[in-house]
Amino acid sequence: MEHKYSIVTENLTKKFGDFKAVDGISFEVNKGEIFGFLGANGAGKTTAMRMLTGLSIPTSGKAYVAGFDIYSESEKIKLNIGYMSQKFSLYQDLKVWENIEFYGGLYGMSSSQIKSTTKELLSKLEIEKESNSLVKELPLGWKQKLAFSISIMHHPKIVFLDEPTGGVDPVTRRQFWNMIYDAAAEGITIFITTHYMDEAEYCERVAIMVDGKIEALDKPFALKSRFKTDSMDDVFYRLARQAQRSDN
Amino acid sequence: MTTFIFILKKEFRQIFRDPAIIRIIFIMPMMQLIILPFAADYEVKNINIGIVDHDHSDYSRELISKIENSTYFRLTGYTNTFKEGLKWVEDEKADLIVEIPNRFEAELIKESKADLLLAVNAVNGTRGNLGAAYTLGIIQQFNQNIRAKWFQMPDFNPEPIIDVTYSSLYNPLSNYQFFMVPGILAVLLTMVGGFLSALNIVKEKEIGTIEQLNVSPIKKYQFIGGKVVPFWLLGFVILTIGLIISFIVHGIVPGSNIGVLYLFTAIYMLAILGFGLLLSNFTNTQQQAMMVAFFFMLIFILLSGLYTPIESMPGWAQKVAALNPVTYMVEVMRMVLMKGAILRDILPQLKIITLYGVVLNLLAIYTYSKQNS
């Protein structure tokens, strides 16, 4: 079954003491799918993602990413995934091309591969002129697009995006989503967490997490018809209203 | 291997792009090595002395002028009452007072015996004791002169006199700087190796880039190696700069077996880097790392024999000093720079520090985890 899906989880749970950050979630993500992971702050999205990327060890439950067991084969998973974290993940004190070179090298790319990929990547982002600038000198939107490009430069099977568009202007967000579609078209599975409900509409399927559990999982239009509304916002409010915990 | 080269490139770029690190690496050793050895001096000079003279005789004046002429003392003043002398001590104007009693001269001549009182402010123990010792020396000399004047020396001296000549081995001029400079150099290496490496890793934790590394297929040894190698090489740069400064400013000539020093430093730096890595595995912010490093650094420096001889520490402190890696670096630095020690001489230290290097680095690799539970 692992071969049909990109990600499979069964009763995946993470406890911090008595607190169940993630409470027995089970779902499958298809290959090449854009899978949205929604939830209020503190709902457990990031914790779930950290377990899937091998940053955090689950308390119980099973999960397979790219066909590999997250307990015993986490290093193999790492070869097959890309990750872009909530915190800005590029080195601010390195130049644009130096960041590309470093991450390329990290995934075992050769110098010549890195060189050609860098060229391609910079022209796609139309920032050839900024190649020699330090990353900290770039505007936020550019940084996020660059970070995303770098996270998929080694052609991973799955890329995990943790609130990648936070604080980014609508135009850049639109461009960012175009990049996501391009990546999905290449066959990369996209696993994305977000707060923006309009972005949820761009996903093929979304899972909505409330208090560590998945309360709903379906295609956006199916969710809307189930809750008899025409906006994802409404769907989200109705589910999130039941939440016992919040971060304030 | 190519991956590791990319990792090293990144580390070196970041180090040399940070102006603070450049200052720490080049300016700090210069300042410390040029200024500190002149300032941090054991020799106690300028001891303030107050004199209470009740006698006002030739002898008392002779004794006073002897004290005055000594380079160690600075005269606070003369007075006729002990009370005023004591007030000087209370006001911190005098470190010690000498009271010459009434009939000092008369008794010395008549009974060939007289009393003197030395009252010492012992708040700063070293200063007070040394002051008293200097004064005793002067009085003894004064005493001998009187004996020579008053008593015809018999052919056979009833009191044997031992005439002592001494020579300062390894440091002929007993130059204090020769002692301090190697020690300061050892501490500098420790700071760069232990602090900079720890701060570097913790900084990645703070910014969050470490997560990006932890989801990548980077191997533990690649990550740790990438952090160790640049600072290890910087250790040699600092040692070289330090030796050049010691030569130019303090005239310390390292001698032909300088290779021994580099060999020892190579292993010592690995040990200290292991310590830094270990530190960074257990701290999450640069402030935490700084505070913990500062705590250890104080112990490292005070119990390393840099300022106070380990032999005169209490038993438990000697045991701590024996566990302190800085102790061995200070020892070897002094042995090589002052005594011209060769490889065979420093073998015991070399063995211990190698053991340290292996243990600390294994612990560091073991405790570094790409995951948290």
Side-chain angles (χ1 to χ4, degrees):
Chain A
M1 65 165 190
E2 293 99 66
H3 297 291
K4 202 173 142 208
Y5 299 112
S6 244
I7 302 169
V8 180
T9 73
E10 272 177 52
N11 267 320
L12 195 63
T13 301
K14 178 77 186 183
K15 283 192 219 165
F16 296 106
D18 287 335
F19 177 72
K20 281 186 177 168
V22 173
D23 190 358
I25 57 173
S26 305
F27 61 90
E28 292 90 26
V29 178
N30 298 315
K31 281 187 180 166
E33 190 178 24
I34 300 177
F35 189 84
F37 217 52
L38 315 183
N41 291 331
K45 296 177 310 237
T46 299
T47 309
M49 189 180 263
R50 287 173 62 86
M51 285 191 280
L52 295 176
T53 51
L55 283 173
S56 174
I57 302 167
T59 312
S60 64
K62 283 189 207 159
Y64 299 89
V65 175
F68 299 109
D69 182 2
I70 58 166
Y71 292 99
S72 55
E73 297 171 305
S74 66
E75 288 305 305
K76 280 186 190 155
I77 291 176
K78 283 168 187 176
L79 271 171
N80 289 292
I81 61 169
Y83 174 68
M84 181 182 160
S85 67
Q86 209 167 12
K87 282 191 193 174
F88 187 60
S89 50
L90 300 178
Y91 289 96
Q92 307 271 353
D93 52 349
L94 290 183
K95 294 172 180 171
V96 170
W97 70 269
E98 289 168 344
N99 265 293
I100 301 173
E101 184 193 77
F102 172 64
Y103 282 113
L106 213 50
Y107 287 90
M109 293 169 74
S110 68
S111 292
S112 57
Q113 272 177 305
I114 290 173
K115 230 173 239 160
S116 62
T117 312
T118 305
K119 229 175 160 182
E120 209 179 294
L121 200 154
L122 290 176
S123 75
K124 220 178 188 176
L125 292 174
E126 297 172 349
I127 53 169
E128 289 104 327
K129 278 191 207 143
E130 303 297 330
S131 173
N132 233 347
S133 313
L134 294 179
V135 164
K136 66 175 158 212
E137 291 160 359
L138 299 181
L140 180 68
W142 293 18
K143 285 182 193 170
Q144 295 302 81
K145 285 192 281 183
L146 180 63
F148 176 66
S149 304
I150 288 177
S151 71
I152 57 166
M153 73 181 282
H154 59 287
H155 303 294
K157 291 192 176 127
I158 307 161
V159 63
F160 290 88
L161 307 172
D162 192 1
E163 288 172 28
T165 52
V168 173
D169 67 76
V171 177
T172 314
R173 250 169 62 198
R174 186 71 235 186
Q175 293 168 343
F176 195 92
W177 271 92
N178 284 334
M179 292 174 66
I180 291 178
Y181 279 128
D182 287 345
E186 282 171 40
I188 298 176
T189 307
I190 315 279
F191 188 98
I192 180 169
T193 69
T194 180
H195 280 312
Y196 298 107
M197 287 308 130
D198 59 326
E199 290 189 350
E201 309 258 11
Y202 303 151
C203 299
E204 284 168 53
R205 286 194 305 153
V206 293
I208 297 179
M209 271 190 94
V210 179
D211 287 354
K213 294 192 175 84
I214 292 182
E215 290 295 330
L217 196 173
D218 213 330
K219 294 186 167 46
F221 77 84
L223 285 176
K224 281 186 282 189
S225 66
R226 194 169 111 201
F227 286 88
K228 298 187 178 64
T229 169
D230 54 0
S231 83
M232 277 305 287
D233 267 353
D234 263 357
V235 175
F236 184 74
Y237 283 138
R238 289 199 198 170
L239 287 166
R241 218 173 27 207
Q242 316 152 11
Q244 298 300 307
R245 68 196 197 214
S246 68
D247 63 348
N248 43 37
Chain B
M1 197 58 213
T2 37
T3 301
F4 189 58
I5 289 171
F6 285 119
I7 294 171
L8 278 185
K9 271 191 188 172
K10 169 232 166 208
E11 298 295 342
F12 272 111
R13 279 178 187 139
Q14 287 186 302
I15 289 172
F16 286 108
R17 206 159 277 165
D18 185 348
I21 291 191
I22 301 296
R23 262 176 254 142
I24 288 172
I25 292 167
F26 295 101
I27 311 292
M28 191 171 81
M30 286 191 215
M31 299 296 279
Q32 295 212 342
L33 280 171
I34 294 173
I35 296 168
L36 275 189
F38 289 112
D41 195 322
Y42 275 142
E43 249 191 312
V44 178
K45 284 180 196 151
N46 304 327
I47 296 167
N48 298 312
I49 189 164
I51 291 172
V52 187
D53 188 358
H54 300 293
D55 197 37
H56 299 289
S57 61
D58 284 345
Y59 274 180
S60 73
R61 268 190 288 276
E62 198 182 325
L63 179 60
I64 291 166
S65 85
K66 269 198 183 333
I67 292 172
E68 273 177 355
N69 289 333
S70 154
T71 50
Y72 296 114
F73 296 112
R74 196 155 55 191
L75 194 70
T76 307
Y78 308 98
T79 171
N80 292 325
T81 64
F82 186 74
K83 208 175 158 192
E84 194 178 346
L86 204 58
K87 182 145 190 345
W88 286 339
V89 175
E90 273 175 13
D91 296 346
E92 306 261 320
K93 283 187 195 141
D95 297 306
L96 91 166
I97 38 182
V98 180
E99 188 185 28
I100 303 172
N102 204 356
R103 295 181 52 78
F104 175 70
E105 187 182 62
E107 282 189 13
L108 202 58
I109 295 172
K110 232 195 297 2
E111 325 226 346
S112 74
K113 173 174 170 259
D115 298 317
L116 270 178
L117 174 72
L118 271 186
V120 178
N121 175 6
V123 171
N124 181 342
T126 325
R127 202 173 166 80
N129 286 336
L130 273 172
Y134 293 152
T135 322
L136 280 177
I138 292 170
I139 293 167
Q140 227 152 47
Q141 218 186 357
F142 174 76
N143 196 9
Q144 265 181 9
N145 287 350
I146 295 191
R147 287 168 63 91
K149 227 193 228 166
W150 280 87
F151 309 105
Q152 197 83 54
M153 281 291 175
D155 293 342
F156 174 72
N157 193 339
E159 199 179 303
I161 291 173
I162 298 172
D163 213 1
V164 181
T165 28
Y166 69 92
S167 87
S168 308
L169 296 172
Y170 311 121
N171 187 359
L173 300 172
S174 294
N175 188 336
Y176 188 70
Q177 293 155 30
F178 283 22
F179 180 71
M180 278 313 282
V181 168
I184 292 176
L185 204 45
V187 169
L188 273 174
L189 286 174
T190 313
M191 306 243 310
V192 169
F195 281 21
L196 290 187
S197 61
L199 288 182
N200 185 296
I201 295 178
V202 175
K203 194 175 159 198
E204 294 230 20
K205 283 193 192 176
E206 270 186 3
I207 307 174
T209 43
I210 202 153
E211 298 230 313
Q212 202 66 40
L213 297 180
N214 287 344
V215 295
S216 81
I218 192 170
K219 305 267 189 303
K220 272 186 184 188
Y221 71 84
Q222 290 174 330
F223 174 75
I224 287 181
K227 297 295 181 193
V228 165
V229 172
F231 291 106
W232 186 66
L233 292 175
L234 282 178
F236 294 113
V237 175
I238 289 190
L239 179 63
T240 309
I241 294 178
L243 289 176
I244 294 172
I245 293 175
S246 335
F247 174 69
I248 296 175
V249 180
H250 306 288
I252 295 173
V253 187
S256 56
N257 35 21
I258 190 77
V260 176
L261 192 56
Y262 275 86
L263 173 74
F264 189 83
T265 304
I267 296 172
Y268 176 74
M269 282 301 285
L270 284 183
I272 283 299
L273 282 163
F275 171 77
L277 295 172
L278 204 53
L279 184 70
S280 68
N281 285 346
F282 290 100
T283 48
N284 289 314
T285 64
Q286 295 193 68
Q287 275 108 319
Q288 280 176 2
M290 276 303 277
M291 290 310 290
V292 179
F294 187 71
F295 167 77
F296 277 104
M297 208 60 203
L298 264 184
I299 298 177
F300 278 177
I301 293 178
L302 289 179
L303 292 181
S304 67
L306 175 61
Y307 291 108
T308 46
I310 292 170
E311 290 76 10
S312 52
M313 293 175 188
W316 60 266
Q318 290 196 23
K319 285 193 184 105
V320 177
L323 285 173
N324 178 358
V326 184
T327 304
Y328 301 101
M329 186 75 229
V330 171
E331 258 175 40
V332 168
M333 200 70 100
R334 282 178 182 153
M335 283 167 79
V336 174
L337 289 182
M338 296 169 73
K339 286 164 81 177
I342 56 171
L343 184 59
R344 204 183 49 221
D345 302 324
I346 64 154
L347 269 186
Q349 284 89 346
L350 197 61
K351 277 183 198 157
I352 294 174
I353 218 70
T354 308
L355 183 71
Y356 255 101
V358 172
V359 171
L360 285 173
N361 282 290
L362 284 182
L363 273 178
I365 293 178
Y366 179 72
T367 53
Y368 170 69
S369 171
K370 287 173 79 174
Q371 290 177 324
N372 49 21
S373 52

